Structures are given as C-alpha cells and as structure tokens.
Amino acid sequence: MGVFERVARPAILAASRSEALRRAAERLPVTRSVVHRFVPGETVGDALNAVEQLRMSGRMVSIDYLGEDVTDADAAIATVDAYLHLLDALGRRDESTARARPLEVSLKLSALGQALPRDGEKIALENAHAICERALQVGVWVTVDAEDHTTTDSTLSIVRDLRTEFGWLGTVLQSYLKRTHADCEDFAKSGARIRLCKGAYDEPASVAYRDPNDVTDSYLRCLRVLMAGSGYPMVASHDPQIIEAVGAMARENRRGDEDFEYQMLYSIRDAEQRRLADAGNQVRVYVPFGTQWYGYFVRRLAERPANLTFFLRALAERSR
C-alpha cells in the first residue's frame, strides 16, 4: 500500500460516517449514476434482474438489502419486512435442492436493531430469527455480515443462538482482526459456514492488523483452519494471491469443488468470476441493493485504489 492509500483510506472511511457528505452525495445525479458500478439498483426488481444475469452465467448469489446502524425499532422492523419480501420473491424463482444453495441473503445485525439502547441484542436476535424462518421455508441460505470490531462479540453470540435451530446459517469473519484465527478454530469445529474476508472498517492497531501484507498472511492462516475443519469455507476475496492458494489448500484437505466456494463483490473482477465458474468452481456474487447505498459505496472506494480511480475518472467524464 502506497503513501496515498495509507493516508486516503482512513479519510474515505471517515467520509462514510458523515451525514452531511451522505446527503450531498445522494443529491448528486453524477454520483448516483456511478454507484451502479457497485450497486445494481434500489428495488427488489433491480436486484432480481442482476440475479437473473448472474445465474445465467453459472454463478450463485448473496443479496444484501443495504442498511446499518438502525437507531429506532420501527426502522428495524422495516428492514425485516424488506427481507421477507425479498425472500418471497427469491422463493418463487428457485426450487433447487443442491448442497450449495444458489440463492442466499446477507444481513447486518445493526440494521435489525442490534445497536438500540434498550434490548438491542434481543431485538436483533428476534428479527434475524424471523428472517431465518422465512428463508428456511423458501429454501434460501442466510449469512450474517460482520461489522466493526465493537459488534463482534454480540454478533457471534447471536449467530451461535440462531445456529442451534438453523444449522445452515453462515457468518462472516474478518482476517484483519487479531482474534479471528481463534474464532475460525471455534467455528470450523462446529461445522459452520464461514465467509472469510479481509475487512473493510478502519480498526485500531490494538485489535487489527494494519499492514496489508499482515492482513493477507492472517487470511491465509485462517483459511487453512477453515479448510481443515468440518465446515463450509466461503473464500471472499479478490486478491490473486489468495485465489491462487485456494486450490492447493482444498486438495490438501481432500475437499472437492462442492465443499467450498469463492465469493466476490458485484461487478468487481467480473472476468475472474467467470473464469472460476467456467472452470467448475462454485462462485457466489455479493449483490447489494437499496436506497441506503452510501456507506457501502464509500467502503468499496476505500478498499482498493482502483475503485477510487474509477470513481474519480467517471466523475470527471460526466462533469465535462
């Protein structure tokens, strides 16, 4: 990571938390048009159109209704209703009984009330349970997303509670957190589905690796634990070094193509997604949608300098 990226990334992530910048960005037609590079649209119909195209190319999907840090119970209920509507629409489109369900939804517990001042964890658990019940009825998987490190204990506690009833429930672990190797060992023993990613929040050095090489090294160590365990690893990375290492790890642990999957974000490294799928691998694409796209969009800009370059170039072209 160069000097520009080391300086720019914290500033960009800080912008993701700015209400003033969010409001300004949402009013700019230029910004909204560029956002479609990462977010296919704001409605269920937009998401389903993207799903259809991805499925036709042999890829699986995980759909995220964008939103986080809900501060009132009514907003949390609205998020639950949005997921139930989405799941009903997905259930009408797919009746597959394959081991790796081609359709999945991802959800953030902070969007379900986790941060509410009174009984937030209990409310988030109840809301997530309602979503999982509907997902079970329509044959769709659910994976609980990771957020910043202050929520990790609460999130994993809720996931463990839910998995007593919904053993197929997945969760996300982030390799830049120093605790994650131990969390991987715990979940790998229990046979859980784990989406392993690097992490997209600006975390302090006391809890997270800050150097990109250290984050990658941690990722590979954690992935070895997951591959050796009894669960289902989901390799969420665009990093060529990590992707290149996956095949050997799978073979060492006698995993076939159906025993793990690659995951990438919507529209990022699309050619690589297609290459992996065409080679017989299971590839799942993370498809976000909704009106609350700002925080997600800014984190994508912060993750890779190429994303920021793309955005600035597109802004320049549209402002001429």
Side-chain angles (χ1 to χ4, degrees), residues 55 90-98 102-103 138-139:
R55 293 293 306 281
L90 291 174
R92 290 193 294 269
R93 287 186 167 222
D94 194 271
E95 298 178 355
S96 172
T97 57
L103 299 176
V138 301

Side-chain angles (χ1 to χ4, degrees), residues 34 37-38 301 305-315 318:
V34 176
R37 164 74 162 79
F38 303 102
L301 296 183
N307 292 342
L308 181 58
T309 301
F310 170 88
F311 179 55
L312 295 175
R313 185 187 303 122
L315 283 179
R318 284 173 164 80

Side-chain angles (χ1 to χ4, degrees), residues 46-169:
D46 293 330
L48 294 181
N49 287 338
V51 166
E52 194 71 28
Q53 294 175 19
L54 290 165
R55 293 293 306 281
M56 288 176 63
S57 66
R59 287 172 281 182
M60 303 182 293
V61 295
S62 184
I63 308 174
D64 175 26
Y65 176 66
L66 292 170
E68 55 193 281
D69 299 328
V70 161
T71 56
D72 67 82
D74 288 342
I77 292 299
T79 298
V80 174
D81 290 342
Y83 270 102
L84 298 182
H85 175 52
L86 171 63
L87 286 165
D88 286 343
L90 291 174
R92 290 193 294 269
R93 287 186 167 222
D94 194 271
E95 298 178 355
S96 172
T97 57
R99 178 181 176 186
R101 298 181 192 174
L103 299 176
E104 176 193 76
V105 297
S106 292
L107 53 87
K108 285 182 169 60
L109 293 178
S110 74
L112 301 181
Q114 185 181 32
L116 294 176
R118 169 176 278 185
D119 296 328
E121 188 168 320
K122 178 175 179 291
I123 290 169
L125 172 61
E126 292 172 350
N127 286 336
H129 188 277
I131 293 170
C132 287
E133 277 192 325
R134 185 66 58 85
L136 178 63
Q137 293 169 7
V138 301
V140 173
W141 267 349
V142 177
T143 290
V144 175
D145 270 329
E147 301 182 65
D148 74 82
H149 80 278
T150 63
T151 68
T152 303
D153 283 332
S154 171
T155 294
L156 296 186
S157 174
I158 290 172
V159 166
R160 289 186 178 98
D161 282 347
L162 290 169
R163 289 194 70 247
T164 61
E165 186 173 349
F166 309 103
W168 42 262
L169 179 72

